[in-house]
Amino acid sequence: MNLEYLGWNDFFASSFESLRQQELTVARVAIEHRNTYILHSEIGEVPGEVTGKFRHNAIQAQDFPAVGDWVVISLRESEKNAVIHSVLPRKSKFSRQSIGAITEEQIVAANVDTVFLVSGLDGDFNPRRIERYLILAWESGANPVILLNKADLCQNIEDCLNQVENIALGVPIITISAANSQGLEALQTYLQPGKTVALLGSSGVGKSTITNKLKGEAIQAVKAVRQGDDRGRHTTSHRELILLPNGSLIIDTPGMRELQIWASETSLSSTFEDIESLAQECRFRNCQHIKEPGCAVQQALQEGRLSNSRFFSYQKLQKELDYLSQKQDQKVYLDTKKRWKTITKSMRNHHKRY
């Protein structure tokens, strides 16, 4: 298989140059299981495992390969499997905070050119959720495109479109009905040979249906949403890099009920550019936009130029990012303390022996 059809380009080639050895080659991660991976390589699809050295040196979860990653491998052609030695630097990565008590980055998809943020135009339509996805999309380094799916089930498309336009400033918005193959031709602009697109969104928004339509066959299971609340059930059980007939690639992901933010203030500013611009007009530079005199944000709220729901969302997400930053700082401190404790213990044992 030609590596360029898998997304190989000069960025990855230059990173591999210093690692190049006769027995080493590269492959791209298609599926990530608990301890094994399915890889797309020059000889086709092969299973792969990381070396013991790789596992020993990995400090955090994000050090391990993720779907979309380019990995340096040695092939065992006789056994038709691969050994993974390292992960090449990522051009982009869509991450969220891992679920649970541990503050850790979970990479959802790597080396993505375009992120399709899929939202259903049914009873589960939620502009606030789109804002959360936008923050992570801007953080990823990939270009976001919003897909408003299930247009055939929506009675007020113009109203929904206006709501999204007001929160996704400058982001392309495409209205489709994947079930009816309506509007899918507009996606071809982004589905170019060697380019990678990731589908992200909640359960039941139609990601698997979109994947099946673009692939031209039913490769992903599809289930109907629940009656009464239009909430979906997980149909895609794992992330997967899929080759499309036209030479482009798509990463389908399981629906994310809990989307924990993993981003920076810069991504928040990009998502809420309208509020950030208003804040520049406030009389005081450290204005909290509550009761300060000369607050341009409060004035915009009073005049109806800024909705209360969008400002509340901005405040809520800002608090989340502040809390995440505190937890990250604490984790770095504890990890450093633990590492020095191990080094000190090792040095003491060494001196005891000699």
Side-chain angles (χ1 to χ4, degrees):
M1 183 180 291
N2 189 329
L3 291 179
E4 290 183 2
Y5 281 107
L6 295 173
W8 185 255
N9 57 36
D10 292 342
F11 175 86
F12 303 111
S14 62
S15 300
F16 179 55
E17 199 58 42
S18 62
L19 303 170
R20 189 184 293 275
Q21 294 178 26
Q22 189 173 359
E23 72 277 8
L24 297 181
T25 184
V26 294
R28 198 166 184 198
V29 179
I31 301 174
E32 172 191 353
H33 294 303
R34 186 175 294 274
N35 294 309
T36 60
Y37 302 85
I38 302 298
L39 310 174
H40 288 313
S41 72
E42 288 178 301
I43 65 167
E45 193 176 277
V46 293
E49 293 184 1
V50 299
T51 64
K53 182 180 179 181
F54 185 118
R55 193 174 297 278
H56 176 75
N57 290 335
I59 299 171
Q60 303 175 81
Q62 64 265 31
D63 296 332
F64 284 89
V67 173
D69 266 331
W70 281 98
V71 291
V72 177
I73 64 168
S74 52
L75 282 166
R76 297 170 178 162
E77 292 195 41
S78 58
E79 300 174 28
K80 292 189 176 178
N81 62 16
V83 176
I84 300 171
H85 299 275
S86 61
V87 177
L88 291 181
R90 295 163 177 133
K91 192 175 182 182
S92 65
K93 58 176 180 173
F94 187 98
S95 302
R96 67 171 176 176
Q97 186 184 165
S98 59
I99 297 170
I102 300 174
T103 304
E104 197 167 50
E105 178 184 7
Q106 180 188 18
I107 299 175
V108 178
N111 299 316
V112 174
D113 297 291
T114 304
V115 178
F116 282 166
L117 304 178
V118 188
S119 178
L121 284 169
D122 49 6
D124 198 33
F125 175 71
N126 188 336
R128 303 284 78 86
R129 190 185 300 135
I130 294 174
E131 287 172 340
R132 295 181 74 87
Y133 274 102
L134 274 173
I135 288 177
L136 298 187
W138 287 125
E139 184 74 15
S140 74
N143 296 315
V145 174
I146 295 173
L147 303 189
L148 299 179
N149 190 26
K150 305 187 182 183
D152 54 311
L153 301 179
C154 185
Q155 303 299 318
N156 54 344
I157 289 180
E158 287 302 317
D159 178 51
C160 292
L161 192 57
N162 286 335
Q163 289 186 58
V164 178
E165 285 175 346
N166 288 333
I167 64 171
L169 308 175
V171 177
I173 303 168
I174 302 173
T175 303
I176 64 172
S177 171
N180 297 338
S181 299
Q182 173 190 333
L184 294 180
E185 63 279 356
L187 307 186
Q188 295 306 317
T189 302
Y190 308 98
L191 298 168
Q192 299 296 318
K195 296 296 183 182
T196 303
V197 169
L199 285 170
L200 296 152
S202 304
S203 300
V205 295
K207 299 188 302 297
S208 295
T209 302
I210 294 169
T211 299
N212 290 342
K213 291 289 183 178
L214 295 175
K215 180 68 174 175
E217 57 181 300
I219 56 172
Q220 299 287 63
V222 177
K223 293 180 183 176
V225 296
R226 295 197 301 252
Q227 295 296 316
D229 64 359
D230 285 324
R231 300 305 295 272
R233 293 173 289 177
H234 294 293
T235 55
T236 302
S237 59
H238 57 263
R239 293 178 284 279
E240 182 174 357
L241 178 71
I242 298 166
L243 308 178
L244 297 183
N246 73 338
S248 62
L249 305 101
I250 194 164
I251 298 177
D252 194 4
T253 65
M256 290 182 274
R257 283 256 186 262
E258 188 178 350
L259 186 63
Q260 295 284 357
I261 294 295
W262 187 275
S264 63
E265 284 286 341
T266 303
S267 301
L268 180 76
S269 299
S270 297
T271 305
F272 292 90
E273 203 173 306
D274 51 341
I275 297 177
E276 292 286 329
S277 296
L278 285 169
Q280 296 297 317
E281 301 173 16
C282 291
R283 184 183 299 175
F284 302 107
R285 183 170 293 181
N286 62 345
C287 183
Q288 299 298 304
H289 319 305
I290 301 173
K291 291 183 178 179
E292 294 89 343
C295 176
V297 174
Q298 284 297 325
Q299 186 176 344
L301 286 167
Q302 292 168 13
E303 295 174 357
R305 291 183 287 118
L306 174 65
S307 69
N308 284 299
S309 58
R310 180 157 172 79
F311 182 57
F312 176 75
S313 177
Y314 172 76
Q315 290 179 308
K316 182 174 181 289
L317 290 165
Q318 196 168 46
K319 286 178 183 176
E320 282 188 43
L321 287 180
D322 289 342
Y323 181 59
L324 173 63
S325 179
Q326 290 171 14
K327 289 205 296 181
Q328 286 175 315
D329 289 343
Q330 185 182 26
K331 187 175 187 299
V332 169
Y333 168 75
L334 292 174
D335 286 348
T336 304
K337 186 177 179 182
K338 183 180 178 182
R339 199 173 299 120
W340 276 110
K341 208 171 183 180
T342 304
I343 293 170
T344 304
K345 186 177 180 181
S346 176
M347 290 175 68
R348 281 175 182 167
N349 291 336
H350 176 78
H351 286 303
K352 281 180 182 177
R353 286 199 300 271
Y354 297 98

